[in-house]
């Protein structure tokens, strides 16, 4: 059976830590296998002055180790412990050294133990880095919150307190560029006539300039402002240097002042008032948090613009007149004009008892029932109200047609004539916002839409719309339908194109009942005009 000393020596050899024993003179008296394998250039280092060898190393960690070991050798302290790096060319490593004094009989010895602590050290470093990252993020968040709180308050105050839309645009741009890291801000409006998106108001810090080129709606899809305006979503360029078309819109020296760009639509409901474009001095400036703040600001700006627009509508008498040309065979008046080879003119609209719109159309030649029905093969209800050798008046059900769609934006059709596949439409709308929305609707629905004219004018104090509204409120649905049918079917012309019996039949009522509705409606109309 092995002696206790032999067992201890064998155990020492198997330990996965490097161990050496030195005497009072610092010479190595014993090493284990881990020690020898760690430094294979010398088999065991026996007889080597460990302290003197370590003292020759030009290393702060070696200097600390020597000082600690000497204090243990001198009896000033029982043990000494330190951690130190020992990196190789291929990996990072850390060790802990512990020197402990002990006696073997009358001889004083010191054990030197080196334990690898790389895994623990890496975990500590990772934990510290994470903690530092959290501290940095907290500090950055506090800074952002402080900056954002002031920015949101300033922009909101500017938007809500403004008296005009131009003042909103001017104040918002100024407040944005007073806040780091923003260097330039502009708000653009759309010119529906010329299809341009142009800066209306702008502000900058330093020598930052606006775009060099015009922005064309429907053409310059690469520009973030056009993209934001057309699809209704924010668009970001995080690094201007990497943007292929940068030289087209921004001068070369712009890169010295701005590095990233965000464009945000100013949208309230279905109305887009324009685009807010913000430039930052640093790349990657518009992270998710920054975008969220700016999107909220854009909503606030659009809401303020809408409030001003509503207030203006309530206090002023303005109207927009817009002329548009449409080419699309799916438009039902265009399909009818093509099918019957006639010029079709819109006369007006009324509503049946179920609220279904009934549109009255005039054709410049006599039409037969068969050709009319063939033109409406989709099943749309159509009726010939009157016809002569030179013209025909039709009544067409238009539940989902152009007339009802435009009425949702307050649009009133003043003229609509279709010839040779082209529909010439003149609309009256209550304001520019409604005009823009109506035009967008036409563009979405039809193949080719061309704006021919756009005018905003002041109406007299008592508008035609006021008269119509008052009249409609005083008439029953049947009285109003009787009046409109008679007018649109040329009942008041001489000679008449249609009789009272035919109009009564179109409403499925007796001739006497029809005339009673018509006379009542005429009297109320005269009351409205003459009293």
């Amino acid at each position: 059976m092995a002696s206790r000393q032999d067992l201890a020596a064998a155990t020492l050899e198997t330990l996965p830590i490097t161990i050496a024993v030195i005497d009072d003179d610092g010479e190595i008296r014993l090493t284990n296998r881990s020690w020898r394998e760690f430094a294979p250039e010398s088999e065991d280092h026996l007889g080597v002055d460990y302290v003197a060898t370590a003292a020759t190393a030009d290393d702060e960690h070696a200097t600390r180790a020597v000082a600690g070991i000497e204090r243990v050798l001198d009896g000033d302290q029982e043990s000494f412990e330190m951690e130190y790096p020992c990196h190789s060319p291929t990996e990072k490593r850390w060790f802990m050294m512990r020197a402990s004094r002990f006696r073997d009989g009358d001889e004083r010895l010191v054990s030197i133990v080196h334990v690898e602590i790389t895994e623990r050290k890496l975990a500590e470093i990772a934990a510290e880095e994470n903690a530092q990252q959290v501290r940095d993020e907290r500090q950055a968040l506090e800074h952002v919150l402080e900056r954002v709180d002031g920015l949101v308050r300033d922009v909101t105050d500017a938007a809500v307190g403004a008296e005009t839309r131009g003042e909103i645009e001017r104040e918002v741009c100024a407040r944005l560029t007073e806040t780091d890291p923003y260097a330039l801000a502009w708000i653009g409006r759309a010119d529906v006539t010329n299809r341009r998106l142009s800066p209306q108001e702008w502000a900058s810090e330093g020598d930052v300039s606006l775009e060099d080129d015009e922005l064309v709606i429907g053409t310059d899809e690469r520009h973030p402002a056009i993209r934001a305006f057309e699809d209704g979503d924010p668009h970001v360029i995080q690094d201007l240097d990497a943007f292929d078309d940068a030289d087209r819109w921004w001068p070369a020296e712009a890169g010295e002042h701005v590095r990233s760009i965000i464009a945000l639509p100013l949208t309230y409901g279905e109305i887009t008032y324009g685009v807010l474009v913000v430039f930052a001095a640093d790349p990657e400036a518009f992270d998710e948090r920054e975008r969220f703040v700016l999107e909220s600001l854009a909503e606030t700006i659009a809401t303020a613009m809408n409030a001003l627009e509503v207030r203006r509508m309530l206090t002023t008498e303005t109207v927009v007149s817009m002329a548009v040309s449409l080419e699309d065979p799916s438009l039902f008046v265009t399909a009818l004009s093509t099918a019957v080879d006639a010029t079709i003119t819109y006369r007006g609209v009324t509503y049946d008892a179920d609220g279904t719109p009934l549109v009255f159309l005039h054709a410049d030649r006599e039409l037969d029932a068969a050709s009319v029905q063939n033109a409406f093969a989709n099943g749309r209800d159509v009726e010939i109200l009157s016809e002569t050798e030179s013209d025909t008046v039709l009544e067409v059900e238009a539940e989902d047609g152009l007339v009802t769609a435009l009425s949702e934006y307050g649009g009133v059709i003043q003229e609509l004539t279709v010839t040779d596949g082209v529909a010439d439409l003149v609309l009256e709308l209550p304001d520019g916002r409604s005009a823009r929305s109506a035009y967008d609707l036409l563009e979405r629905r039809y193949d080719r839409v061309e704006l021919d004219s756009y005018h905003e004018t002041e109406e007299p104090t008592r508008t035609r719309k006021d008269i119509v509204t008052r009249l409609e409120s005083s008439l029953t649905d049947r009285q109003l339908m009787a009046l409109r049918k008679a007018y649109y079917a040329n009942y008041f012309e001489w000679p008449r194109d249609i009789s009272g019996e035919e109009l009564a039949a179109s409403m499925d009522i007796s001739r006497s009942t029809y005339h009673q509705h018509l006379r009542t409606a005429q009297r109320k109309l005269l009351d409205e005009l003459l009293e």
Side-chain angles (χ1 to χ4, degrees), residues 267-459:
T267 303
Y268 183 88
E270 295 185 358
I271 309 299
T272 299
Y273 289 98
V275 178
L276 169 64
V277 184
V278 183
F279 297 73
D282 303 318
E284 306 293 333
F286 300 106
D287 57 17
E288 183 177 354
R289 182 170 51 203
E290 202 77 15
R291 290 198 298 269
F292 175 77
V293 172
L294 290 173
E295 286 176 31
S296 299
L297 288 178
E299 292 178 3
T300 299
I301 296 165
T303 301
M305 289 180 173
N306 176 260
L308 281 179
E309 189 74 20
V310 171
R311 186 170 66 190
R312 187 186 67 82
M313 289 170 57
L314 295 175
T315 57
T316 61
E317 299 292 346
T318 60
V319 65
V320 172
S321 178
M322 182 169 67
V324 180
S325 297
L326 307 174
E327 286 190 44
D328 192 316
S330 67
L331 181 61
F332 81 91
V333 285
T334 303
L336 173 63
S337 174
T338 302
V340 300
D341 190 22
T343 295
I344 301 297
T345 304
Y346 169 81
R347 295 294 306 275
V349 62
T350 190
Y351 298 86
D352 66 11
D354 297 327
T356 301
L358 302 176
V359 174
F360 297 91
L361 303 174
H362 175 270
D364 65 347
R365 72 180 188 85
E366 183 180 10
L367 304 178
D368 61 84
S371 64
V372 171
Q373 291 297 337
N374 289 336
F376 293 99
N378 60 357
R380 191 187 298 268
D381 289 340
V382 58
E383 180 180 352
I384 296 179
L385 286 183
S386 67
E387 56 183 330
T388 67
E389 294 180 356
S390 59
D391 59 9
T392 304
V393 176
L394 305 172
E395 179 186 278
V396 182
E397 180 185 289
E399 187 170 2
D400 59 349
L402 175 66
V403 177
T404 53
L406 291 173
S407 66
E408 294 180 5
Y409 298 97
V412 177
I413 297 178
Q414 300 297 308
E415 297 179 27
L416 175 58
T417 302
V418 184
T419 304
D420 298 329
V422 179
D424 293 315
L425 171 67
V426 177
L427 275 177
E428 183 179 283
L429 299 117
D431 52 68
R433 178 189 63 176
S434 301
R436 176 67 213 179
S437 298
Y439 188 82
D440 288 342
L441 170 72
L442 296 175
E443 281 201 315
R444 289 194 302 270
R445 281 198 172 197
Y446 304 114
D447 291 345
R448 191 184 73 82
V449 180
E450 184 175 328
L451 184 64
D452 298 324
S453 66
Y454 180 97
H455 301 287
E456 185 171 331
T457 58
E458 293 287 333
E459 281 194 336

Side-chain angles (χ1 to χ4, degrees), residues 10-207:
T11 302
L12 187 67
E13 285 291 292
T14 62
L15 291 177
I17 57 177
T18 59
I19 301 175
V21 177
I22 62 175
D23 57 21
D24 276 348
D25 296 328
E27 292 184 4
I28 297 176
R29 299 284 296 277
L30 176 70
T31 61
N32 72 342
R33 183 170 60 190
S34 293
W35 183 288
R36 294 190 295 273
E37 290 176 349
F38 190 79
E41 65 275 5
S42 177
E43 291 186 1
D44 52 18
H45 293 101
L46 296 181
V48 173
D49 189 336
Y50 180 79
V51 176
T53 302
T56 61
D58 184 16
D59 181 271
E60 61 173 314
H61 303 294
T63 302
R64 283 181 56 213
V66 168
I69 293 171
E70 286 180 338
R71 289 195 298 273
V72 173
L73 288 172
D74 294 341
D76 294 336
Q77 58 189 73
E78 287 295 317
S79 63
F80 168 75
E81 185 176 295
M82 66 172 282
E83 296 178 1
Y84 65 95
C86 185
H87 305 320
S88 72
T90 58
E91 62 177 331
K92 299 284 187 180
R93 297 183 300 181
W94 285 264
F95 290 85
M96 183 198 70
M97 185 203 78
R98 182 178 178 83
S100 303
R101 189 172 58 175
F102 69 99
R103 299 185 70 88
D104 183 19
D106 295 334
E107 189 173 18
R108 291 185 305 177
L109 302 170
V110 174
S111 64
I112 308 293
V113 178
H114 295 266
V115 180
E116 185 171 1
I117 58 170
T118 299
E119 186 174 344
R120 191 203 81 194
K121 199 68 177 178
L122 290 174
E124 289 177 354
I125 291 173
E128 176 58 28
E129 288 177 347
N130 289 337
Q132 184 60 45
Q133 182 178 357
V134 170
R135 288 193 293 270
D136 293 343
E137 289 182 352
R138 183 184 298 113
Q139 185 177 3
L141 181 59
E142 290 173 354
H143 173 70
V144 168
L145 289 176
E146 182 180 354
R147 177 178 64 83
V148 165
D149 181 60
L151 176 63
V152 171
R153 184 175 58 252
D154 289 348
V155 170
T156 301
D157 290 347
V160 174
E163 294 296 326
T164 65
R165 179 174 169 183
E167 186 180 345
I168 291 178
E169 295 167 337
R170 185 165 51 256
E171 289 296 321
V172 165
C173 291
R175 302 294 175 89
L176 284 169
T177 52
E178 291 170 358
T179 305
D180 289 334
Y182 309 138
L184 169 68
W186 61 265
I187 291 180
R189 297 188 194 180
D191 182 341
V192 295
T193 304
N194 298 315
R195 306 292 291 162
R196 296 291 189 272
L197 182 67
S198 306
Q200 189 70 22
E201 296 287 347
W202 68 284
S204 70
E205 290 292 317
D207 299 325

